[in-house]
């Protein structure tokens, strides 16, 4: 069976405009003829305009790494969905573990952002995942279920086609430690079950669930071989053409 995967690069707080334009252009050139997967890159806010100009009209989508929970107004330091839309952003990553844990975003705030992003027609990649101590305490399912249920509270079934879930065990992010394909698959299957309970079988069977956490050229294939893994959210390895291309082009 040939499957399509959704491969996303989260550039986090890296790169200048020139570096971003060069990497984006290299990706456009190299991925131009690859139609089997779906691609996204999510640069910092300051790079969005530059990258947007490079990837517009290509098979690479433009993502933002966050947005304000408010539409506009007196919110110093925040970036609005309206401003993101103006730059050509199509997808917003929300609830990333660095937002949850370093910047103390809770499920309620993330849910507010999810609903606002959907209202404005964005696709949302909702990130979930447990800390190491939560895994060791046997709480993986409880944590992931709570993050899904609260993150999607009030989201209508008709909006689920604009939702992607990214399961990213926090202990695997940027650490070089990847979940084994079997461990990742077990959580992905569980995530699908939670979506089925909330939205029914049809939606659950269609939702894309990405895996994230130290995805590299040498582990992408075995992870993507798992039944419920529908793509990858790639951090560190997305910053260099030499490491992102083999992931993006894997088969
Ligand atoms: P990583 O980051 O690939 O560097 O582990 C993944 C992510 O945070 O999305």
């Amino acid at each position: 069976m040939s499957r399509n995967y959704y491969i996303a690069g989260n550039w986090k707080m890296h790169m200048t405009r020139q570096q971003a334009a060069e990497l984006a252009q290299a990706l456009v050139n190299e991925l131009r003829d690859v139609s089997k997967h779906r691609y996204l890159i999510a640069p910092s806010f300051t790079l969005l305009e530059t990258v947007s100009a490079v990837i517009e009209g290509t098979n690479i989508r433009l993502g933002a790494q966050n947005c304000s929970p408010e539409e506009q107004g007196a919110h110093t330091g925040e970036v609005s969905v309206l401003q993101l839309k103006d730059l050509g952003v199509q997808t917003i990553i929300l609830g990333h573990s660095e937002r949850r844990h370093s910047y103390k975003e809770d499920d309620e705030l993330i849910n507010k952002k999810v609903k606002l992003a959907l209202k404005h027609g964005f696709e949302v990649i909702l990130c979930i995942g447990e800390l190491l101590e939560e895994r060791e305490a046997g709480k993986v399912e409880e944590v992931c279920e709570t993050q899904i249920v609260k993150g999607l509270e009030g989201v209508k079934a008709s909006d689920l086609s604009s939702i992607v879930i990214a399961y990213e065990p926090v202990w695997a992010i940027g650490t070089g430690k990847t979940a084994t394909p079997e461990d990742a698959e077990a959580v992905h299957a569980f995530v699908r079950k939670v979506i089925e309970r909330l939205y029914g079988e049809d939606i659950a069977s269609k939702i894309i669930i990405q895996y994230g956490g130290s995805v590299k050229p040498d582990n992408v294939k075995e992870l993507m071989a798992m039944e419920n893994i529908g793509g990858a959210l790639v951090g560190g390895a997305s910053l260099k053409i030499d490491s992102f291309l083999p992931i993006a082009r894997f088969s």
Side-chain angles (χ1 to χ4, degrees):
M1 186 181 74
S2 125
R3 287 162 65 185
N4 297 316
Y5 293 88
Y6 190 1
I7 310 287
N10 172 8
W11 289 0
K12 307 195 178 182
M13 198 175 70
H14 292 285
M15 290 190 265
T16 60
R17 285 177 298 166
Q18 189 181 332
Q19 291 166 330
E22 282 170 13
L23 180 54
Q25 189 59 59
L27 290 170
V28 166
N29 297 344
E30 297 292 339
L31 297 176
R32 181 173 285 150
D33 302 323
V34 189
S35 57
K36 63 179 180 228
H37 303 319
R38 192 162 172 233
Y39 298 113
L40 172 127
I41 46 182
S44 297
F45 292 133
T46 58
L47 306 175
L48 285 169
E49 187 167 13
T50 303
V51 173
S52 182
V54 177
I55 66 176
E56 199 186 342
T58 71
N59 60 346
I60 304 173
R61 298 172 66 85
L62 185 63
Q65 299 170 17
N66 191 16
C67 68
S68 169
E70 307 297 335
E71 208 155 85
Q72 59 187 329
H75 300 283
T76 302
E78 292 288 290
V79 176
S80 147
V81 284
L82 303 174
Q83 296 166 324
L84 297 179
K85 183 164 270 187
D86 186 43
L87 292 172
V89 170
Q90 296 153 292
T91 300
I92 307 179
I93 297 172
L94 293 171
H96 189 278
S97 73
E98 285 146 23
R99 301 299 322 165
R100 290 179 189 269
H101 300 293
S102 306
Y103 297 95
K104 309 291 172 225
E105 291 196 9
D106 61 15
D107 288 311
E108 199 183 324
L109 177 69
I110 294 162
N111 175 249
K112 204 171 166 191
K113 295 181 182 193
V114 168
K115 286 191 285 197
L116 184 63
L118 291 171
K119 179 182 158 200
H120 287 276
F122 290 94
E123 174 183 79
V124 169
I125 297 180
L126 175 64
C127 302
I128 61 160
E130 81 286 356
L131 297 163
L132 184 58
E133 56 262 38
E134 291 167 334
R135 174 161 282 260
E136 286 170 348
K139 292 186 172 161
V140 177
E141 295 192 349
E142 182 187 324
V143 169
C144 290
E145 180 163 13
T146 301
Q147 291 175 346
I148 296 168
V149 170
K150 293 192 170 173
L152 295 180
E153 200 174 300
V155 172
K156 297 190 300 287
S158 55
D159 276 332
L160 258 282
S161 57
S162 299
I163 296 280
V164 173
I165 306 277
Y167 169 60
E168 302 200 295
V170 181
W171 47 271
I173 295 178
T175 58
K177 288 186 202 140
T178 327
T180 64
E182 292 73 23
D183 282 348
E185 168 63 13
V187 183
H188 281 244
F190 175 75
V191 168
R192 207 177 289 286
K193 252 201 228 133
V194 174
I195 297 293
E196 183 177 338
R197 180 168 64 72
L198 296 174
Y199 293 101
E201 204 183 323
D202 185 45
I203 287 174
S205 71
K206 289 184 187 138
I207 193 164
I208 297 171
I209 310 167
Q210 295 173 324
Y211 170 80
S214 299
V215 175
K216 301 276 184 290
D218 61 3
N219 61 23
V220 64
K221 206 169 165 175
E222 51 184 16
L223 285 161
M224 296 305 121
M226 295 291 124
E227 188 183 339
N228 287 286
I229 301 184
L233 182 53
V234 187
S238 73
L239 297 173
K240 294 252 158 30
I241 191 82
D242 291 349
S243 44
F244 194 56
L245 260 194
I247 295 173
R249 304 187 79 130
F250 94 94
S251 58

